């Protein structure tokens, strides 16, 4: 049967269970848009900027269910979307990227958007496909989907030239919907070795990342079986519930809060699951990892990349952890005693850290710990928190307990500011019945804040808590001591109420501690009515996170002596001169 390439693209997206596409129409993709308008299953979502569209697609994928998909124009759409595609690439998030392509049947040069799309995308995707004929459209989309979702997930790209979209052609017999690619399975002998190491440890610990997000029950069982404290990565903050007595902290090493530092102090065997030991969760590699490292990851390249692994288990987290549990058998007297001792110390350390924060005087502004305590009380357990990148992210990681898997989304290894506002929209689209809030810095808000129009246009009730401190604080804090001046990190004023008006959202002000509870309630009530709302939180940033102090210290300690002296000399000189 002869069909247009646009019809074939629609067929493929429907077959794959794609729920939404994000993007902006242009002459290179309007035929596909027109097809999707008639689709009962796939909804094309118009965004303000393709970068926002890519963050939305990323959030759809992170919530599980369907794979976030982009439908964009080539070149200009691709470069705009590149920030979100890059984030998905480095964070291991599946994403399907579709764009039109220039006509290949006219022999013309200098067409609109006429660039090598594949060269643009190669470094930030797992694979790219060109559907040069009708017969290639469905197989290319299926192959890209399989690529995006198998192994360590990531984005995959398909270019469908306009002529293929427009004209009818014979696609031949359509291939069946692709089955999931089976994950690798660790060898039985390796599992035996790993279990033996863990069983012999006197102070085991667990470190888990986003790769463990579908294995939370197994992780809990293992932590309890071993009496092992658990630290999470930033991206995997919700991979182990924070109200479990063995949950110690975000981050491994000196950049963690005291509960994490103390719980792992004598760790003699670490089980790492679905983490790459990347820069953030190790506090710029300040983490001390014992020789007995059991490293579980679906991507073999990750194993031992930053810290040598005694045993590497290449496989899916869930079955691998189950196999370890089977081998370990029931708890022992020693593991039971560890469980009790660790739980007690962790609880005491957490309480002391919170008390230290609550005792901090925010000088008439909003104390972050008080804010997060109130937000935690107001949010349901499965409420979704979407962070951006900045000091607010690490405050969230240290002060806001995550209680269910996939309730915390953050731009992590690509570390792209501007994620929060659009990703919050993507999360709400993917999970309309859940409460979805964003925690966004005032700097990041400048990047993608206008994307809020996509929420107002669709009546999506989400609340963005803008941590309004007037600075690019994560950077200005790092400038403060060594440089004693804040070059390009002090922001001009932004009228957040004015922004809310411009996009048709509501506005709430939380000026000080006294306004926290009523402000959060008002914001969540507006969101529950289907209204997006910007909350101007006059946050106090005068108290540093442990993450920032620990990581700055690790970085300075890593310098050689002449560099240390140069930094110290410069800091002193600037302090004296003012
Ligand atoms: C696209 C991009 N540009 C620059 C940076 C560097 N950067 C990381 S955090 C940060 C400060 C963010 O400021 P803001 O959004 O106000 O958050 P705050 O740190 O004040 O909470 C900057 C500039 C980045 N991560 N991403
Ligand atoms: Mg700021």
């Amino acid at each position: 049967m002869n069909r247009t390439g646009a019809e074939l693209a629609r067929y493929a997206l429907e077959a794959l269970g794609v729920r939404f596409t994000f993007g902006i129409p242009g002459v290179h993709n309007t035929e596909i848009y027109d097809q999707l308008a008639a689709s009962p299953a796939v909804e094309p979502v118009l965004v303000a900027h393709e970068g926002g569209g890519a963050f939305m697609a990323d959030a759809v994928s992170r919530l599980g269910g369907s794979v976030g998909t982009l439908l964009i124009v080539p070149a200009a759409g691709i470069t705009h979307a590149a920030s979100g595609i890059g984030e998905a690439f480095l964070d291991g998030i599946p994403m399907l990227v579709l764009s039109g392509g220039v006509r290949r049947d006219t022999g013309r040069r200098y067409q609109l958007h006429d660039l090598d799309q594949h060269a643009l995308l190669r470094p930030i995707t797992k694979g790219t496909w060109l559907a040069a004929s009708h017969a290639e459209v469905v197989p290319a989309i299926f192959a890209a989907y399989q690529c995006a979702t198998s192994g360590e997930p990531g984005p995959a790209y398909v270019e469908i030239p306009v002529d293929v979209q427009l004209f009818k052609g014979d696609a031949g017999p359509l291939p069946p919907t692709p089955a999931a690619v089976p994950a690798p399975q660790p060898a039985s002998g390796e599992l035996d070795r790993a279990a033996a190491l863990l069983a012999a440890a006197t102070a085991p610990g667990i470190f888990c990342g986003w790769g463990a997000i579908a294995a939370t029950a197994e992780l809990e069982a293992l932590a309890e079986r071993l009496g092992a404290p658990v630290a999470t990565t930033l991206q995997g903050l919700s991979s182990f519930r924070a109200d479990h007595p063995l949950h110690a902290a975000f981050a491994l090493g000196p950049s963690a809060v005291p509960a994490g530092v103390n719980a792992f102090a004598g760790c003699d065997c670490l089980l790492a699951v679905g983490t790459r030991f990347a820069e953030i969760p190790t506090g710029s590699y300040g983490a001390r990892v014992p020789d007995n490292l059991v490293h579980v990851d679906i991507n073999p390249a990750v194993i031992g990349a930053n810290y040598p692994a005694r045993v590497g288990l290449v496989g899916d987290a869930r079955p691998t952890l189950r196999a370890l549990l089977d081998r370990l058998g029931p708890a022992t007297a020693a593991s039971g005693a560890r469980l009790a001792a660790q739980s007690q110390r962790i609880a005491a350390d957490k309480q002391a850290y919170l008390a230290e924060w609550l005792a901090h005087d925010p000088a008439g502004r909003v104390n972050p710990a008080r804010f997060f305590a109130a937000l935690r009380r107001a949010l349901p357990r499965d409420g979704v928190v979407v962070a951006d990148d900045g000091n607010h992210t690490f405050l969230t990681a240290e002060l806001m307990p995550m209680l269910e898997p996939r309730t915390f989304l953050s731009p992590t290894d690509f570390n792209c500011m501007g994620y929060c506002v659009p990703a919050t929209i993507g999360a709400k689209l993917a999970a309309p019945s859940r409460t979805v809030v964003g925690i966004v810095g005032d700097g990041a808000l400048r990047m993608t804040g206008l994307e809020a129009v996509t929420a107002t246009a669709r009546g999506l009730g989400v609340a963005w808590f803008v941590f309004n401190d007037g600075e690019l604080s994560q950077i200005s804090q790092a400038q403060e001591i060594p440089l004693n001046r804040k070059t390009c990190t002090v922001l001009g004023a932004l009228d957040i109420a004015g922004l809310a008006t411009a996009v048709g959202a509501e506005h709430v002000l939380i000026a000080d501690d006294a306004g926290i509870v009523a402000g959060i309630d008002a914001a969540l009530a507006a969101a529950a009515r289907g209204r997006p709302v910007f909350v101007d939180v006059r946050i106090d940033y005068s108290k540093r996170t442990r993450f920032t102090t620990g990581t700055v210290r690790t970085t300075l300690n890593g310098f050689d002596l002449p560099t240390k002296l140069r930094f110290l000399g410069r800091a002193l000189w600037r302090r004296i001169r003012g």
Side-chain angles (χ1 to χ4, degrees):
M1 189 173 77
N2 277 355
R3 301 206 223 188
T4 67
E7 287 171 334
L8 292 163
R10 168 185 165 184
Y11 166 84
L13 295 182
E14 286 176 348
L16 292 170
V18 169
R19 282 281 296 112
F20 304 101
T21 66
F22 299 95
I24 300 182
V27 290
H28 293 80
N29 61 20
T30 44
E31 285 294 324
I32 303 178
Y33 268 95
D34 195 61
Q35 277 296 317
L36 295 186
S39 170
V42 188
E43 190 178 345
V45 176
L46 171 64
V47 301
H49 185 288
E50 289 89 346
F55 292 137
M56 290 180 209
D58 165 299
V60 166
S61 288
R62 286 190 206 221
L63 282 199
S66 66
V67 168
T69 301
L70 292 181
L71 180 55
I72 54 182
V73 297
I78 285 174
T79 52
H80 271 25
S83 298
I85 299 171
E87 192 67 61
F89 182 66
L90 287 193
D91 290 1
I93 305 300
M95 185 182 284
L96 197 51
V97 182
L98 298 189
S99 85
V102 300
R103 290 185 69 152
R104 297 160 59 85
D105 59 338
T106 59
R108 299 289 189 195
R109 296 176 61 196
Y110 311 118
Q111 297 181 50
L112 283 180
H113 306 315
D114 196 351
L115 278 177
D116 182 346
Q117 320 302 335
H118 304 267
L120 278 176
L121 284 170
R122 204 162 288 126
I124 54 169
T125 54
K126 285 180 73 185
T128 75
W129 280 260
L130 168 67
S133 69
H134 289 77
E136 291 167 69
V137 174
V138 177
I141 294 174
F142 283 179
Y145 180 88
Q146 247 184 344
C147 168
T149 54
S150 61
E152 181 182 318
Y157 168 64
V158 182
E159 174 184 357
I160 309 173
V162 179
D163 43 310
V164 175
Q165 289 178 46
L166 280 170
F167 305 131
K168 287 200 166 189
D170 183 8
L174 294 178
T177 311
V181 177
Q185 280 183 353
S188 179
E190 294 298 286
L191 287 164
D192 292 342
R193 281 182 62 212
L197 275 182
L198 290 165
T202 55
I206 295 177
F207 182 42
C208 52
W210 183 261
I213 205 76
T216 48
E218 288 76 9
L219 267 181
E220 274 189 33
L222 259 174
E224 288 164 17
R225 163 60 188 83
L226 296 169
V230 179
T232 73
T233 65
L234 178 67
Q235 195 184 338
L237 201 64
S238 64
S239 62
F240 196 83
R241 67 183 168 90
D243 58 350
H244 190 286
L246 287 167
H247 172 278
F250 143 67
L252 192 65
S255 295
V257 297
V261 172
N262 295 335
F264 284 82
C267 177
D268 65 350
C269 180
L270 186 70
L271 171 65
V273 187
T275 169
R276 303 189 286 199
F277 290 91
E279 183 161 2
I280 287 181
T282 59
S284 289
Y285 314 106
R288 190 194 62 82
V289 175
D291 294 340
N292 285 336
L293 169 63
V294 176
H295 197 169
V296 180
D297 205 284
I298 202 162
N299 179 359
V302 164
I303 309 274
N306 278 331
Y307 294 90
R310 182 82 76 197
V311 184
L313 301 176
V314 179
D316 202 16
R318 205 160 175 212
T320 305
L321 297 187
R322 280 197 184 147
L324 287 177
L325 276 166
D326 285 347
R327 281 165 173 77
L328 282 165
T332 62
S335 71
R338 280 197 300 267
L339 191 153
Q342 283 285 8
S343 304
Q344 209 170 16
R345 185 171 52 195
I346 288 170
D349 283 346
K350 282 187 174 181
Q351 206 175 11
Y353 187 59
L354 186 61
E356 176 191 309
W357 266 99
L358 293 175
H360 170 72
D361 178 5
R365 295 176 66 91
V366 173
N367 179 320
R370 238 171 256 291
F371 170 84
F372 282 117
L375 183 63
R376 184 64 276 171
R377 278 195 297 275
L379 267 195
R381 283 185 73 87
D382 72 348
V384 179
V385 179
V386 182
D388 211 288
D389 178 46
N391 189 48
H392 57 282
T393 315
F394 300 105
L395 286 169
T396 311
E398 292 188 3
L399 299 170
M400 177 77 186
M402 300 301 159
L403 306 180
E404 303 259 340
R406 299 182 191 275
T407 53
F408 178 73
L409 316 185
S410 68
T412 310
D413 284 353
F414 192 77
N415 213 229
C416 194
M417 284 171 69
Y419 178 86
C420 174
V421 169
T424 305
I425 296 171
K428 186 68 183 175
L429 275 168
S433 61
R434 287 165 70 179
T435 306
V436 180
V437 302
I439 307 289
V440 58
D442 47 355
L445 180 69
R446 282 158 167 74
M447 294 188 177
T448 53
L450 281 180
E451 195 64 62
V453 289
T454 304
T456 37
R458 306 182 71 89
L460 294 174
V462 291
W464 292 290
F465 294 95
V466 182
F467 277 24
N468 192 5
D469 72 310
E471 293 189 8
L472 300 169
S473 244
Q474 189 62 21
I475 307 303
S476 68
Q477 287 183 6
Q479 290 172 323
E480 214 161 81
I481 294 172
L483 302 173
N484 198 29
R485 59 184 179 219
K486 296 178 177 176
T487 306
C488 283
T489 49
V490 176
L491 300 166
L494 178 71
D495 178 356
I496 294 171
L499 172 65
T501 306
V503 298
E506 299 200 8
H507 172 257
V508 170
L509 173 67
I510 300 182
D512 53 25
D513 280 353
I516 292 175
V517 173
I520 290 174
D521 285 352
L524 295 187
R529 292 194 310 271
R531 299 280 299 134
V533 49
F534 280 111
V535 187
D536 183 348
V537 185
R538 302 285 165 84
I539 200 80
D540 168 50
Y541 270 178
S542 62
K543 184 172 164 54
R544 302 286 178 262
T545 60
R546 288 298 158 98
F547 177 81
T548 296
T549 47
T551 304
V552 168
R553 198 176 308 125
T554 296
T555 305
L556 290 176
N557 284 344
F559 291 165
D560 60 11
L561 191 62
T563 310
K564 269 186 198 155
L565 290 175
R566 183 165 58 83
F567 265 62
L568 195 70
R570 186 174 62 183
L572 284 173
W573 178 241
R574 288 191 179 173
R575 193 113 320 158
I576 295 163
R577 273 201 340 189

